[in-house]
Structures are given as structure tokens and as C-alpha cells.
């Protein structure tokens, strides 16, 4: 694993990345937990990252918590930007390396926007801003090529979902972890946690990708739904409540897995 010259002697990068994984973990744990609460107790609401951030703001000392989570989300976005631009882990040498770096950049952008929403809510502006559907409508409005771009984006998301399932099936995610520093019990259950978490996330993102493809084919941004919409779609199927609890538990597990990543992720910061 190499460290590009531009990243050497940047001691802030590793703690920023680790803080980012914690913030991301909190968001996913809330997304999953709120969905489970809606099914089991008819409390809370089913939604995505923005809904999770709003829930944080409703807690005691909510404004302070929003600032903390916003900083964490920006830190994660910074780490993803570093991965996309400088390729410190030499992703370019792998099959699909360019797509992987594009994915890092997209992930960074999404978490940066979520960080902006957290700061807006902390300042009392409601975190309104432009919704994903607004951005999608602007993209679809581009003459001729707009719908093609949206369909392509949907296929990219579906491909990402398949990659998540592949990582779950092959335990490839363990290559990113410092397993030698884990206790024996941790080494035993982390593969099971990661497998369940990534598989659940893969299912959700596959549905999100299908929504994007449909929106592009019909040139209708109203057909797009994010993570919350994907969970609601799962809940509307036969045995939907059982499936939704299962997948939502997996997303909550993904949140816990991100905390493991925060501690044991290999990060070439120096």
C-alpha cells in the first residue's frame, strides 16, 4: 500500500477518516433503528440519511449533536475525496479501479451534502436545500442526454449494489481491516457482521438503482426514491414487515460495522 507524496506528513487525515466512519455508522444505525421502530412499535419514521440527521437534531442538545455529526460527515467526505483523487490504496491497479474511484467521489459528495444539511438544521434553517429529486429533475432537463445520464447513474448504483453483495459473499472487506490487531472473539464475529451488513446494504441500493433507471426511462424525477423509499418498497411486499425488519436490522448492523472500520480500517495517512 503506497502513500502518495501529497499525503505524506498529513497526520490529520487518519483521525479525520476514523471520525468519519463513526459519523457514518451513527447515521446508518439510526436509519435501521427508526425503520425497525416503525414496524414494531409504530413509532419513528422510515427514511434515509436526512431523516436520521433530523432525528439527531430532536434529541437533547440537538444543535450541538448536529454540529458534531456534521463535522464527522465532512471528515468522511474528505477521506472519500482523498481516495478518489490520490488513490492512496492503489485501487487503480484492481479490475474496475476507475469505477471504484468514481464511487469514492460520489460517496464523498453524498456525505458532504448530508453534512451541509446537518449544519443547516443546527443553525435552524431546517436543512431544506435542494432535494435529490430537484437535482434529478435538473439532470433530466438536459436535452437528449439527460435521461441517458440518469439511466447510466441507476445502472452504476445497481453495479455498486452487486459489488456490495460480492464483498459480502467473498469476505473481501476483510482486506481493508487490521485483523491482526483484533481480539480472537472480534475476529470471529466481524466477518459475520460485515457479511450481513453489506448484503443488506446491497439489497437497498439495488432498489435505489432500479428507481433511478425507471426515473430516467420515463423522464420523471417523481419516480425516484432514496434509501427511505427503498425500505418502504420492501415493506410493501408480501411478508413486508418481516423483510423490512430483516433489512433494517442489517442497516443497523452496517452502522456497527462502520464503528469497527473506524477502529481497524487500514488508512495510509503518512
Amino acid at each position: 500500500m503506497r502513500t502518495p507524496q501529497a499525503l505524506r506528513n498529513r497526520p490529520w487525515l487518519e483521525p479525520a477518516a476514523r471520525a468519519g466512519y463513526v459519523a457514518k455508522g451513527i447515521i446508518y444505525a439510526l436509519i435501521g433503528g427508526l425503520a425497525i421502530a416503525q414496524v414494531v412499535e409504530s413509532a419513528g419514521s422510515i427514511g434515509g440519511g436526512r431523516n436520521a440527521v433530523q432525528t439527531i437534531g430532536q434529541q437533547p442538545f440537538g444543535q450541538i449533536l448536529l454540529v458534531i455529526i456534521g463535522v464527522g460527515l465532512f471528515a468522511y467526505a474528505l477521506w472519500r475525496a482523498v481516495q478518489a483523487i490520490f488513490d492512496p490504496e492503489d485501487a487503480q491497479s484492481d479490475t474496475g479501479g476507475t469505477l471504484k474511484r468514481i464511487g469514492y467521489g460520489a460517496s464523498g459528495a453524498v456525505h458532504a451534502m448530508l453534512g451541509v444539511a446537518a449544519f443547516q438544521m443546527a443553525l435552524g434553517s431546517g436543512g431544506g436545500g435542494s432535494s435529490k429529486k430537484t437535482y434529478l429533475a435538473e439532470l433530466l432537463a438536459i436535452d437528449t442526454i439527460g435521461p441517458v445520464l440518469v439511466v447510466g447513474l441507476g445502472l452504476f448504483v445497481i453495479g455498486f449494489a452487486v459489488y456490495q453483495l460480492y464483498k459480502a459473499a467473498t469476505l473481501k472487506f476483510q482486506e481493508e481491516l487490521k485483523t491482526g490487531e483484533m481480539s480472537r472473539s472480534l475476529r470471529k464475529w466481524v466477518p459475520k457482521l460485515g457479511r450481513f451488513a453489506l448484503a443488506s446494504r446491497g439489497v437497498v441500493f439495488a432498489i435505489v438503482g432500479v428507481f433511478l433507471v425507471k426515473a430516467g426511462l420515463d423522464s420523471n424525477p417523481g419516480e425516484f426514491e432514496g434509501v427511505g423509499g427503498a425500505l418502504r418498497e420492501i415493506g410493501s411486499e408480501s411478508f413486508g414487515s418481516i423483510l423490512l425488519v430483516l433489512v433494517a436490522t442489517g442497516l443497523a448492523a452496517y452502522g456497527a460495522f462502520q464503528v469497527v472500520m473506524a477502529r481497524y480500517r487500514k488508512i495510509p495517512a503518512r
Side-chain angles (χ1 to χ4, degrees):
M1 186 181 293
R2 63 187 176 83
T3 303
Q5 184 65 39
L7 298 182
R8 291 175 184 162
N9 301 318
R10 299 293 189 273
W12 47 266
L13 181 59
E14 183 173 346
R18 299 197 186 283
Y21 280 113
V22 172
K24 182 182 178 184
I26 291 171
I27 295 298
Y28 269 92
L30 278 172
I31 291 172
L34 290 170
I36 294 169
Q38 175 62 29
V39 175
V40 177
E41 303 176 1
S42 297
S45 58
I46 299 176
R50 187 177 291 267
N51 184 55
V53 170
Q54 288 174 337
T55 300
I56 292 170
Q58 293 165 1
Q59 306 310 306
F61 306 103
Q63 286 184 308
I64 296 174
L65 293 175
L66 283 171
V67 170
I68 293 172
I69 203 72
V71 170
L73 289 168
F74 276 121
Y76 185 77
L78 174 63
W79 165 235
R80 285 309 202 193
V82 167
Q83 287 178 295
I85 297 169
F86 297 108
D87 192 20
E89 297 169 308
D90 200 20
Q92 200 64 50
S93 65
D94 298 335
T95 302
T98 299
L99 290 176
K100 187 181 290 188
R101 293 175 70 179
I102 292 172
Y104 290 150
S107 175
V110 168
H111 286 87
M113 288 190 288
L114 200 54
V116 169
F119 280 114
Q120 287 177 329
M121 292 178 200
L123 295 172
S125 62
S130 298
S131 70
K132 293 186 183 74
K133 290 185 180 181
T134 301
Y135 292 125
L136 198 63
E138 293 174 354
L139 189 56
L140 285 169
I142 300 175
D143 288 341
T144 309
I145 198 173
V148 176
L149 292 175
V150 172
V151 170
L153 179 60
L155 293 175
F156 181 84
V157 173
I158 292 172
F160 171 78
V162 171
Y163 182 65
Q164 296 289 285
L165 295 172
Y166 166 74
K167 288 177 71 175
T170 61
L171 295 177
K172 190 174 178 61
F173 58 85
Q174 292 204 100
E175 296 175 2
E176 301 173 346
L177 297 171
K178 296 184 285 187
T179 54
E181 296 183 9
M182 295 180 181
S183 65
R184 181 179 299 178
S185 61
L186 200 58
R187 285 197 301 270
K188 183 177 180 179
W189 66 260
V190 161
K192 299 175 182 177
L193 174 69
R195 210 168 223 170
F196 179 41
L198 289 170
S200 300
R201 191 173 184 239
V203 169
V204 169
F205 272 86
I207 297 172
V208 171
V210 170
F211 283 145
L212 274 168
V213 171
K214 288 179 64 179
L217 291 175
D218 297 338
S219 296
N220 180 8
E223 293 189 17
F224 171 70
E225 297 287 347
V227 170
L231 290 172
R232 289 189 292 273
E233 181 70 17
I234 292 170
S236 69
E237 300 298 320
S238 300
F239 304 102
S241 294
I242 297 173
L243 292 173
L244 178 56
V245 169
L246 181 63
V247 173
T249 301
L251 292 183
Y254 185 78
F257 182 66
Q258 292 307 291
V259 176
V260 173
M261 295 281 278
R263 170 61 180 85
Y264 294 104
R265 179 69 158 82
K266 297 174 183 175
I267 298 173
R270 292 179 177 81

